[in-house]
Amino acid sequence: MHNDFSITGHDLTVQQIADAIATNSAQVGLDETAAAACHASRRQVEAWLGDEAPVVYGVNTALGNLKDTVLSPSEHIAWNSTIPYPHAVGMGHFINPVITRTALLIRANVLSRGYSGVRPALVRRLLDIFNAGISPAIRELGSTGLSDLGPMAHCAMVASGMEGARVFYQGKLIAAREALTLAGLEPRFTLECKEVLAIMNGSTMTQAAAALCINGAGNLLSYLEPIETAQLAAFPDAEELLRFNGSVAAVFAKIKRTIGFETNITCDNPLLFSNGNTYDVAMGCNCSNTQVGYDLDLLAILLSDKAAF
Amino acid sequence: MDTISNPAFSLSGLIGTAKSICGAASLPADLSATPGARDGGYMPAFVGTVLLLRLQRTASEPTQRYLQALLDARLSPTWRAGASEAAARRGLRSALEGAAGGVLLWEGRQLEASEGLEVASITDSARADVDFDALEAQLDISGALAVHVYDAAHHLFKGADICAAMTLEGIRGETGAFDARLHELGRPYPGQIAAARNVRRIVADSEFTTEDARMEFGGDSGPRCQDAISIRAVPQTHGGGRDALAWFAATLEGSLQQSVASRDMTLDYALDLLAIGLIDLAVISERRSFRMLDSRMSYGLPMNLVAENPGFNHGFPVIQAAAAAVVAEMKLKAPKGRGQGSFSALTGRYVPRGISSSIRLVELMDLLGKVLAIELFMASQAMDLTRRTLPNRAFGAGSAPALAATRTHLPMVLQNRFASDDMNVAEWLIVQGTIVRAVEDAIGRLD
């Protein structure tokens, strides 16, 4: 099937996301150069699963009390088939399915940058689910305050077709496996070493909401423009309005830049960086999307002021 | 006296010139004095000096000569903190006129305006042709405050990075989270890159932030993969605030080129964003200092950082609780999520926020300085306690001088000691630049 566009991990825009969501039939693929980058870092992960491999924390080990314990490939698969469950917290109403589906696209973009050490097949799996119009069903309350562990664990469950995972598909809330089958996709997908953490770790659900918010807000502001222009003569202080709108435009542009930037970063952990011959692993905290949080607070302030004017 | 020549009206030019006039900040002789302009204190000399420099831009020739005389004499008009903008404007006018009620700052002293002019030998004739009505109308109080906010906030961001680095040393932390590639390749926000770079430079060559130091100390049950989020998310959190500061600076740069009357509201929004960043800086600092109280979370430091005779000596729990209290005060000043602008129901016109946005930042910075001071106090204790166990190791290129500078004024706590005085001293060391200068003298300018 022809792709409308391909993700590279470096240039996905808010507009592309909005257009893909709006058509509901967009087909997004994985750029071949990005696939090669994923393949290269994945080869290193697989080498670390060999018999003589060193301990590589967070990659070939488990977590917590087992952080020093190297697991075999099959042990990783077994662990990955359970670990999303205790992380998949959530209470209250379901998050808007448009947002959860968008998160799949953005997470695929994150992983396609090649620093996460996942298989290209995983990236394509996320895109296949997105392209099929399937949206993870995720209850909205229960944030850890940093990184969307709960919502993204649900996404991992859906990607893998785990028991209990549910989705919205063609207007209905159904089991993920059933939706995947109806969509012509394999109901099960094995998540291998590092691939669960690569999906779960990072603030991608927030990013999905942010991208759709900024697009929607931009649309609202553009709807207002001709209305205000027509009414300018009747406005008590047209010069004041124009100056205020100038501020709104400047602040809005700044927020949009931030959200666009955040769409093309790597937020899972740990990350792999090539050093020429092999890869180094670095453990950080790019799940923390500080700038987006601040700018969304500012967007709320801005829109409230605009509404009041 | 040297004649101070007016800079180009760039932000950096204004700050550099104002600082050269005001002189380097120094610790007061009496460290029991209250830092900052609170409790009826006056706005710092830096603010008044920026005001004078800004006024020169549009003043008539006689007025320019008068302003120059004030600058050359290093007199700075001021007003009482907490005053309304109208009261500030009246106070400043009185200071400039040498009228009753006006206050001029000079060499760290608050002088009646008339006395200040007399000390500087500025005669009545020098003021004779000055149009004080026009001067009062042109006072760019919000602009001067915004310049002060930028400069002071940047200083506090440096202080926050130093405190985080010292905490990292105290807990023998993992430096991997500051690996340049995580930030330059993984999530390349300029502020994040800068914060990570600062911490790397401060702890450079440390023999404490290493795996073998952790093993030798014995506080870890195995190799430490990564530290808690309040440590390993420093680049992202401090970086987010730095990016807010950068946008604020860019916006301010543009605003300073505009007249006050034509200035738009973008600067107010930039101040709101910076306010959020400063509050977050305090939140994560408080979390770091909290972790130092518990042996499990500090990887083996004594509970409550008690150096000797635990149980008899109490340590830092109540000191640390004060940080939580101050953070709560800061959160009360957070911009609300709606409607910062004020619109007159009668006229429908936007009512500018004036100096209120900047004043909120001044208040937040005052509180942030206290939270960082508590972390400095506790991290210094943690570093010295760690060094007792590992006496033959050296701290990092920047963290060693930071600790030494702290200890010059604030000894290690060995026995129960009056906490409030110590906390006050620590705050001076943060806000007056002692710690930042010690680090920058050793390793060069921080971002």
Side-chain angles (χ1 to χ4, degrees):
Chain A
M1 185 178 287
H2 168 73
N3 288 326
D4 294 290
F5 65 90
S6 295
I7 54 172
T8 67
H10 296 279
D11 51 19
L12 179 63
T13 66
V14 168
Q15 191 61 55
Q16 281 178 309
I17 294 170
D19 290 344
I21 290 292
T23 64
N24 210 33
S25 59
Q27 298 298 301
V28 184
L30 175 61
D31 174 85
E32 285 310 310
T33 304
C38 292
H39 187 60
S41 58
R42 182 66 192 175
R43 269 207 309 271
Q44 175 65 80
V45 173
E46 285 163 0
W48 284 329
L49 292 171
D51 290 335
E52 302 298 319
V55 172
V56 185
Y57 300 105
V59 178
N60 62 9
T61 66
L63 299 177
N65 288 346
L66 297 178
K67 66 178 167 63
D68 307 329
T69 305
V70 175
L71 303 183
S72 68
S74 59
E75 285 172 324
H76 275 287
I77 288 170
W79 185 58
N80 283 350
S81 70
T82 69
I83 199 63
Y85 284 125
H87 288 84
V89 306
M91 303 175 78
H93 300 294
F94 287 107
I95 297 173
N96 187 320
V98 175
I99 294 174
T100 66
R101 183 168 162 243
T102 301
L104 297 176
L105 172 60
I106 296 176
R107 182 48 62 124
N109 193 55
V110 166
L111 300 180
S112 72
R113 287 162 57 80
Y115 298 123
S116 308
V118 303
R119 294 169 292 154
L122 173 60
V123 182
R124 292 189 180 107
R125 172 69 168 180
L126 294 173
L127 290 174
D128 285 344
I129 298 172
F130 171 82
N131 291 339
I134 295 172
S135 300
I138 305 168
R139 297 188 186 277
E140 64 182 359
L141 294 177
S143 169
T144 58
L146 178 147
S147 184
D148 296 327
L149 272 178
M152 297 314 293
H154 284 81
C155 292
M157 289 170 61
V158 168
S160 186
M162 288 170 68
E163 182 76 37
R166 292 191 296 171
V167 299
F168 289 98
Y169 182 59
Q170 295 181 338
K172 293 180 186 163
L173 177 63
I174 55 175
R177 287 180 186 171
E178 183 185 345
L180 291 162
T181 302
L182 287 170
L185 300 174
E186 287 295 324
R188 300 303 312 274
F189 179 90
T190 301
L191 293 174
E192 298 184 2
C193 172
K194 200 182 180 304
E195 291 185 335
V196 160
L197 291 183
I199 298 175
M200 288 201 316
N201 206 336
S203 299
T204 298
M205 196 60 62
T206 305
Q207 183 60 16
L212 295 172
C213 272
I214 199 69
N215 183 68
N219 289 340
L220 286 173
L221 291 172
S222 70
Y223 301 155
L224 271 174
E225 205 181 324
I227 299 170
E228 284 177 344
T229 303
Q231 294 181 334
L232 207 58
F235 201 80
D237 193 332
E239 191 181 317
E240 193 73 41
L241 174 63
L242 290 173
R243 186 160 50 194
F244 176 65
N245 281 349
S247 282
V248 170
V251 176
F252 186 82
K254 181 259 187 257
I255 298 171
K256 192 169 181 182
R257 278 196 302 274
T258 298
I259 294 172
F261 191 92
E262 187 78 16
T263 300
N264 296 286
I265 54 90
T266 306
C267 57
D268 61 303
N269 194 42
L271 301 183
L272 279 74
F273 297 105
S274 171
N275 60 25
N277 296 326
T278 180
Y279 282 78
D280 297 323
V281 170
M283 302 195 79
C285 201
N286 282 345
C287 58
S288 177
N289 62 343
T290 311
Q291 289 83 347
V292 173
Y294 293 172
D295 278 16
L296 287 177
D297 282 348
L298 188 60
L299 182 62
I301 293 168
L302 189 73
L303 294 180
S304 298
D305 274 2
K306 180 63 187 171
F309 206 121
Chain B
M1 291 179 190
D2 295 338
T3 299
I4 310 295
S5 53
N6 210 314
F9 289 91
S10 67
L11 180 58
S12 58
L14 261 179
I15 291 173
T17 303
K19 282 189 166 176
S20 72
I21 295 170
C22 296
S26 58
L27 291 174
D30 178 9
L31 289 177
S32 69
T34 303
R38 299 264 323 245
D39 303 317
Y42 287 87
M43 299 306 288
F46 178 87
V47 179
T49 303
V50 170
L51 265 170
L52 294 178
L53 291 169
R54 295 279 299 157
L55 280 170
Q56 276 199 316
R57 190 182 181 200
T58 52
S60 64
E61 202 178 313
T63 304
Q64 280 201 17
R65 283 199 297 273
Y66 176 62
L67 294 173
Q68 192 63 51
L70 293 172
L71 287 166
D72 289 343
R74 291 177 162 77
L75 285 165
S76 177
T78 188
W79 75 94
R80 195 174 283 280
S84 67
E85 182 165 1
R89 200 167 287 276
R90 285 194 300 273
L92 284 164
R93 175 176 178 150
S94 297
L96 290 168
E97 276 186 307
V103 175
L104 289 168
L105 298 177
W106 184 69
E107 295 190 352
R109 296 161 55 193
Q110 295 160 9
L111 303 175
E112 295 279 341
S114 55
E115 184 189 354
L117 296 176
E118 193 180 313
V119 160
S121 305
I122 296 175
T123 62
D124 290 348
S125 62
R127 304 200 291 277
D129 295 327
V130 175
D131 183 350
F132 285 101
D133 287 339
L135 211 57
E136 182 183 346
Q138 287 161 11
L139 282 169
D140 183 9
I141 302 175
S142 57
L145 276 172
V147 172
H148 167 58
V149 164
Y150 170 73
D151 182 58
H154 187 199
H155 176 79
L156 285 171
F157 273 104
K158 292 183 185 182
D161 290 347
I162 295 171
C163 287
M166 292 175 74
T167 298
L168 192 71
E169 295 266 26
I171 64 167
R172 294 137 275 117
E174 167 61 60
T175 56
F178 304 90
D179 186 315
R181 293 167 296 184
L182 280 169
H183 314 293
E184 292 168 12
L185 297 175
R187 192 171 181 269
Y189 284 92
Q192 177 169 332
I193 293 169
R197 183 166 52 225
N198 273 355
V199 173
R200 285 199 308 275
R201 289 176 61 206
I202 295 165
V203 304
D205 302 321
S206 170
E207 295 171 337
F208 285 86
T209 57
T210 63
E211 193 58 37
D212 62 86
R214 290 189 281 272
M215 295 298 289
E216 187 183 341
F217 189 89
D220 289 64
S221 58
R224 193 186 304 180
C225 298
Q226 54 185 7
D227 282 300
I229 281 174
S230 60
I231 294 282
R232 74 177 195 268
V234 161
Q236 292 80 6
T237 306
H238 290 204
R242 280 173 170 272
D243 286 326
L245 183 67
W247 183 54
F248 171 63
T251 305
L252 178 56
E253 194 84 71
S255 292
L256 290 174
Q257 308 308 318
Q258 299 169 324
S259 69
V260 180
S262 64
R263 201 172 282 163
D264 65 19
M265 305 81 174
T266 310
L267 192 64
D268 288 332
Y269 291 119
L271 282 161
D272 285 347
L273 195 71
L274 182 58
I276 297 169
L278 292 184
I279 294 170
D280 239 10
L281 215 59
V283 168
I284 199 172
S285 170
E286 187 274 332
R287 291 288 81 201
R288 287 193 298 265
S289 60
F290 177 75
R291 293 186 68 84
M292 286 189 275
L293 290 177
D294 190 319
S295 295
R296 291 166 302 179
M297 290 192 280
S298 67
Y299 300 98
L301 290 171
M303 283 296 293
N304 299 324
L305 298 178
V306 172
E308 295 168 4
N309 200 1
F312 187 87
N313 292 314
H314 190 63
F316 286 76
V318 185
I319 293 169
Q320 199 284 327
V326 174
V327 168
E329 292 289 332
M330 291 184 76
K331 288 181 179 177
L332 291 174
K333 295 183 187 297
K336 295 175 181 50
R338 59 175 67 99
Q340 297 301 296
S342 168
F343 296 90
S344 166
L346 200 59
T347 65
R349 294 193 65 175
Y350 182 85
V351 179
R353 288 195 242 165
I355 70 171
S356 63
S357 299
S358 294
I359 291 296
R360 174 174 37 207
L361 265 295
V362 170
E363 293 170 349
L364 281 171
M365 291 190 300
D366 180 57
L367 294 171
L368 172 61
K370 292 167 171 53
V371 177
L372 294 177
I374 291 170
E375 185 179 5
L376 174 72
F377 192 12
M378 294 181 68
S380 300
Q381 184 84 356
M383 286 173 73
D384 273 332
L385 287 169
T386 287
R387 184 161 53 182
R388 277 185 167 188
T389 305
L390 304 175
N392 297 320
R393 291 179 179 262
F395 289 117
S399 29
L403 178 62
T406 304
R407 289 289 175 246
T408 301
H409 304 279
L410 191 59
M412 185 179 180
V413 178
L414 298 174
Q415 297 169 9
N416 292 329
R417 203 163 85 191
F418 185 24
S420 182
D421 276 358
D422 285 341
M423 293 159 78
N424 209 57
V425 168
E427 187 181 352
W428 274 114
L429 300 179
I430 288 285
V431 302
Q432 208 66 345
T434 306
I435 304 303
V436 171
R437 269 196 301 280
V439 172
E440 290 188 327
D441 284 348
I443 67 173
R445 209 164 169 73
L446 294 172
D447 284 308

